Amino acid sequence: MNRDLPEEGALQHEPLATWHERERMADLAAGQPKAGDVPVPLEAVGLGRRFGQRWVLRGLDFSAQPGQCVAIIGANGSGKSTLLRCLAGLLRPDAGSVRWFGQPAGGAALRARIGFLGHESGLYSQLSVYENLLFAARMYGLPHPAARAEHWAAEVGLAAHAHRRVAQLSQGMRQRAALARALIHQ
């Protein structure tokens, strides 16, 4: 019996492409990509996250291909932000795995390539916009942190306000500063 093929009759219930995709995802989740496989840019397999006894995410399989636009839609409290935080490596899943380009989410090298902008700005209110951006660039070990901080402050229209404390900015300016922080990795 050939173990590389589904059992006879299995194709009646499940298309071969789906069976192969499930097998490939299981191999990736186990950290064993097959020869010739190109890692999917973003992939979650069996993703689960709970808070206390309540599962917010359970058994989620998800992937995004290059150039694909994805919308996450759901009611308040349905786990959209939790999912995004798990995908960005900011929350560790309680079950399953998240991989970016075949690498597990959550490592410092990967976080240095992913920008995340959630409900909270991620900015320190007592630091200036420039200091926040400089801190983020240094924290991620990016080359030329001062130049990046200046560039992104200007890119979001805050060059004239770059040396003001975040606490002194309007809400719109804070959002722009948070966007610059999320994009600082390019």
Side-chain angles (χ1 to χ4, degrees):
M1 176 194 256
N2 187 342
R3 296 257 181 224
D4 294 332
L5 296 175
E7 293 179 15
E8 190 168 322
L11 297 180
Q12 294 173 359
H13 304 289
E14 184 175 32
L16 183 59
T18 303
W19 183 85
H20 281 298
E21 180 65 14
R22 190 178 69 231
E23 289 297 308
R24 189 182 70 75
M25 290 177 78
D27 288 342
L28 283 173
Q32 303 164 357
K34 292 182 179 177
D37 272 353
V38 175
V40 175
L42 172 59
E43 187 168 52
V45 178
L47 186 61
R49 174 67 186 183
R50 68 177 179 207
F51 295 97
Q53 297 299 314
R54 184 172 176 259
W55 284 92
V56 177
L57 305 173
R58 187 182 302 180
L60 178 71
D61 292 336
F62 170 85
S63 67
Q65 302 299 322
Q68 184 179 18
C69 182
V70 178
I72 301 172
I73 301 170
N76 290 348
S78 63
K80 299 178 302 290
S81 295
T82 300
L83 170 60
L84 291 173
R85 289 183 174 282
C86 287
L87 294 176
L90 300 174
L91 277 179
R92 181 171 288 137
D94 292 309
S97 64
V98 174
R99 293 182 173 274
W100 285 86
F101 302 99
Q103 299 299 315
L110 186 63
R111 279 194 303 270
R113 296 181 61 198
I114 298 174
F116 177 79
L117 180 56
H119 298 295
E120 301 295 323
S121 70
L123 300 171
Y124 294 96
S125 61
Q126 298 306 310
L127 297 179
S128 70
V129 171
Y130 174 79
E131 290 167 332
N132 270 283
L133 296 177
L134 183 63
F135 174 73
R138 286 180 176 162
M139 181 177 68
Y140 294 128
L142 302 175
H144 314 293
R148 279 181 189 253
E150 289 177 18
H151 169 79
W152 283 103
E155 191 71 23
V156 298
L158 292 177
H161 304 282
H163 295 286
R164 288 181 60 193
R165 285 188 359 217
V166 169
Q168 299 172 326
L169 302 176
S170 70
Q171 184 62 34
M173 289 177 159
R174 288 179 193 174
Q175 287 176 329
R176 284 194 263 159
L179 180 61
R181 185 184 187 284
L183 296 174
I184 199 156
H185 336 74
Q186 295 179 327

